Amino acid sequence: MKVKSVFKKYTCWFEFFINPDELFPEITPGTKSVDVHAAIFSEQQVVLWSGIVSVKINEFGIFPDPKQARKLPVPDTIKKMFLLELRRYIKPQKAFL
């Protein structure tokens, strides 16, 4: 799924995909872990970053791995936009994962 996000002077496209074959069993009761294939594109559709982000899901929220988020080679504003859109992508699917 491709999503366009605009904030101040930044316009980016984000692409997300969850492979249902790559779901991990619950480590602790009520907590799920999933790998999301993601990509960040500029406004001109140039790939800024592409990779896999691990996300933990429990009854309290959706938590992307902060170490991976910190290592993204994009400005901080785009990182925040990415994490926001990632949570928006997973939230409707949370019950089915």
Side-chain angles (χ1 to χ4, degrees), residues 33-96:
S33 181
V34 65
D35 283 344
V36 179
H37 298 269
I40 302 173
F41 299 92
S42 67
E43 190 173 8
Q44 295 80 22
Q45 299 297 320
V46 176
V47 177
L48 300 175
W49 177 82
S50 179
I52 297 175
V53 177
S54 62
V55 179
K56 292 197 187 315
I57 304 167
N58 62 25
E59 63 181 296
F60 302 109
I62 300 163
F63 306 100
D65 185 18
K67 291 179 184 177
Q68 290 178 333
R70 208 174 304 126
K71 291 180 182 179
L72 293 176
V74 293
D76 288 342
T77 304
I78 295 177
K79 287 180 192 177
K80 291 175 186 175
M81 291 166 55
F82 174 73
L83 295 174
L84 177 74
E85 293 298 336
L86 180 62
R87 288 187 191 111
R88 280 187 187 162
Y89 172 73
I90 293 177
K91 189 172 183 178
Q93 300 179 37
K94 186 176 175 181
F96 304 106

Side-chain angles (χ1 to χ4, degrees), residues 1-16:
M1 176 176 145
K2 229 175 194 183
V3 179
K4 181 179 181 181
S5 184
V6 178
F7 182 73
K8 295 188 180 181
K9 64 179 182 175
Y10 294 99
T11 302
C12 293
W13 288 86
F14 302 105
E15 188 173 66
F16 304 107

Side-chain angles (χ1 to χ4, degrees), residues 24-37:
F24 299 104
E26 296 182 9
I27 298 169
T28 58
T31 302
K32 300 174 187 172
S33 181
V34 65
D35 283 344
V36 179
H37 298 269

